[in-house]
Amino acid sequence: MSASAGSPVGRSAARRAHGPQPASVLAHAPCPVLVVRPSGVISQVNGAAARLFPTAVPGALLDDTTPPWLAGGHRRLAVAAPAGDTGRSVRGRAAGRYFDAWPTPGEGGQIVWWLIDDTSDTRAAARSGDRSGELRAALHEDPERTAFLVSATSALLTTLNSDRCMEVGARLASGHLADGAVVVAPQEGDDFALAYGIDGAPAGHGTVSEDAVAGVPVLHEALHGFPPVTSHRIPPDRLPRWAVPPGFDGDVGSVRVVPLPGHGIPAGALILLHSDPDRPHGEHGENGEHGENGENGELFVRLFATRAGAALAAARIYARQSAITETLMRDLLPPHLHEVHGVDFAGGYRASGRAERIGGDFYAVHPGSDPEDESLAVLGDVCGKGLQAAVLTGKIRHTLQALLPLGDDHRRVLRMLNHTLLTDDGFATLVLASAVRRGDTVHLRLTGAGHPPPLVVRADGRVSEVATRGTLVGVLDEVEAETVPVRLAPGETCLLYSDGITEARGGPMGRAFFGEERLAAALAECARMPAEAVVAHVQMLATQWVGEGRHDDMALLAVTAPCDTTTTTARGPAPPAGASPHGPGGSAT
């Protein structure tokens, strides 16, 4: 039985052909065969190869007589593979047909190339909707384009900023696929974002309205259709001025609109512009060709569009998630505190994780409706760390906000909060402090619930502990708590703190607790200081003690009777511009 070029027998013959082959074997091989020296000079050609490549004669160069995919495969194998080794097959088109070229070793380090016709398999796959064979052949034919797709994928995926991703896409498309490129992508609102590129360089950004997009043929469908519509050429005279990159020289000769498919949604569209009306899209630069290379150029445009669309969709999803996270986190961040009705408040917070902004410790101040009413301050510590603890913190803060009308009865507030946490499977410790200024003295009522007792520093530097005790909130059916009154003279401060301060490990050996004694000593140095200075001083010493070591969330809340007897409004002075949420910045709740 004879073996046709594309038959299984012909394929297996090429794969089994190892070692030098007699001339008679090559001459009667059932497929085109070329014997080529490592330098690329052809030494032998059988009849089938001569018919396929009429100019490929002994003594001619493979580069001058065969398609680039075969000549390039030979160069790579000759350089990379030692004598006697066989490399991978290369694939491409010749004379309108698809071939797999298999290399085997020949005499004197020569390489024997066996070309197996794979056209029928490729076309059958194309008819069934599978274009992988066609694309695979296109990739083998042009290693430079393959390298471009690899580098383009890497460049597009290095950023999750949508504007930057659009800019990279426009720059790459204008440098390799066309003379100019415009990336059009949806954004929040009714307008579309634009990124321009000319000859491989960014050419600016812009926006365009929905109505303007609708006026460009195919573009509206490309931006709204999914599955994505196919790419289309449009007449250059139908292209509006906004769709031409600023600085694009000369007239636009040809235009193609290419959809950018995303993850289940259209990610945008790519507008490719050429000055030459006859140059195929995907063929750019001095070596751009027509014919089958131009046809492959369309495939590469689609491959690039798939990668650019995936990157743009990922950037948009990330931007949306970041915006949602920022909005939700705004309520969880510790607020900036200030003077309220003549009482000076300040807070400080440091999360346990270096990259975290929120955690399980919290504080807040709820101003009284007028100077005669008490302001309710709270500092607490919930079970857990990180985001999960922060969610529970948010529930507690919102519950306390709802219970403000009952704020004059601390134990009642704690009982109702306890009932809420029992149903949420979480618990916390906290201290409630109601503060009001009468004359130059601040009157406090302090109630603890399983939390470290507050400390008071007097004007002469004496530090004492407020003996308020209570049970955890969210553990037992009933909460027991004791309320203790405290008066602060001008220059005196009551400090509420979490156990992340006293249990911070550090020091010379990195294992000792900061402890109550060091905290009291630090507070003794803060007599007659403003509340913000008290918090900053203690926070600085605790941070120095911890160093680079691990620690729990650390929170501080200082309530101070100012030395200055001037009172302020309920909102107090406006915070300085540009302040951060962990000190200056934000607003008191």
Side-chain angles (χ1 to χ4, degrees), residues 173-391:
S174 67
H176 296 269
L177 305 178
D179 298 320
V182 185
V183 176
V184 188
Q187 61 178 2
E188 295 299 327
D190 296 330
D191 292 342
F192 289 83
L194 304 173
Y196 299 103
I198 300 177
D199 293 329
H205 293 268
T207 58
V208 65
S209 68
E210 173 83 20
D211 291 340
V213 165
V216 181
V218 185
L219 181 58
H220 187 270
E221 291 79 1
L223 289 168
H224 293 86
F226 202 92
V229 298
T230 58
S231 61
H232 287 281
R233 290 180 181 271
I234 64 174
D237 58 5
R238 296 291 304 275
L239 194 67
R241 187 60 208 168
W242 62 261
V244 179
F248 187 88
D249 294 331
D251 296 330
V252 177
S254 64
V255 181
R256 180 172 285 274
V257 176
V258 184
L260 300 178
H263 302 294
I265 57 173
L270 176 65
I271 303 175
L272 298 175
L273 304 90
H274 268 307
S275 299
D276 183 356
D278 297 322
R279 175 170 293 175
H281 292 272
E283 301 292 343
H284 185 52
E286 296 179 357
N287 296 324
E289 299 177 5
H290 301 275
E292 61 186 43
N293 279 343
E295 184 177 326
N296 288 341
E298 297 294 344
L299 296 176
F300 276 91
V301 169
R302 277 176 285 191
L303 287 171
F304 174 81
T306 300
R307 287 152 175 78
L312 269 175
R316 286 177 59 196
I317 292 171
Y318 176 79
R320 287 178 180 175
Q321 291 177 339
S322 296
I324 292 171
T325 300
E326 188 65 29
T327 300
L328 295 175
M329 188 178 291
R330 197 173 296 130
D331 275 346
L332 299 178
L333 290 172
H336 169 67
L337 304 182
H338 45 71
E339 190 174 310
V340 177
H341 297 320
V343 182
D344 195 8
F345 294 96
Y349 178 76
R350 181 178 178 181
S352 58
R354 294 182 182 180
E356 294 176 348
R357 300 170 61 193
I358 56 178
D361 289 4
F362 67 97
Y363 58 80
V365 174
H366 304 278
S369 57
D370 59 60
E372 300 302 319
D373 291 333
E374 293 178 322
S375 296
L376 180 65
V378 58
L379 182 140
D381 183 0
V382 306
C383 61
K385 296 180 181 180
L387 183 59
Q388 184 176 1
V391 171

Side-chain angles (χ1 to χ4, degrees), residues 103-137:
T104 61
E107 293 181 346
Q110 298 184 105
I111 299 173
V112 182
W113 287 98
W114 307 73
L115 277 69
I116 310 302
D117 191 336
D118 195 32
T119 303
S120 58
D121 289 347
T122 299
R123 288 180 176 167
R127 284 193 298 270
S128 67
D130 178 9
R131 308 208 54 189
S132 58
E134 187 178 355
L135 296 177
R136 185 169 65 251

Side-chain angles (χ1 to χ4, degrees), residues 76 116 121 135 182 189 259 297 302 398 407 435 473 486 501 509 525:
R76 291 192 297 276
I116 310 302
D121 289 347
L135 296 177
V182 185
R302 277 176 285 191
H398 291 143
V473 179
V486 172
I501 296 287
M509 303 300 293
E525 300 171 354

Side-chain angles (χ1 to χ4, degrees), residues 35-50:
V35 182
V36 187
R37 299 189 181 100
S39 61
V41 176
I42 299 172
S43 61
Q44 189 176 346
V45 181
N46 74 348

